[in-house]
Amino acid sequence: MNEINTAVMGMSASVPAAISMQVSAHSIGLMHINSALNQQRDAMLGMSNYVMGLKKMSSGRIKLKGSIAGKGRF
């Protein structure tokens, strides 16, 4: 009976520590996943902004060339 009490007393400190470590590891894993997803989202947003900027610049140049050519003829 005394050996059982000793085992329970020994486990009483380690079980909460193990639970705490497991929760911490899970939280760290979730933070890594969120960090990777945020980096991917930022990269996609940066690419879309770059493409949109190129489209805006090219459409402005085309309109500008067309308007200058129109004024030059008449």
Side-chain angles (χ1 to χ4, degrees), residues 4-18:
I4 294 173
N5 289 339
T6 305
V8 170
M9 289 297 289
M11 288 174 51
S12 65
S14 62
V15 170

Side-chain angles (χ1 to χ4, degrees), residues 7 15 17 19 31 37 42 57 74:
V15 170
I19 292 172
M31 284 192 296
L37 290 175
D42 291 344
M57 286 170 50
F74 299 108

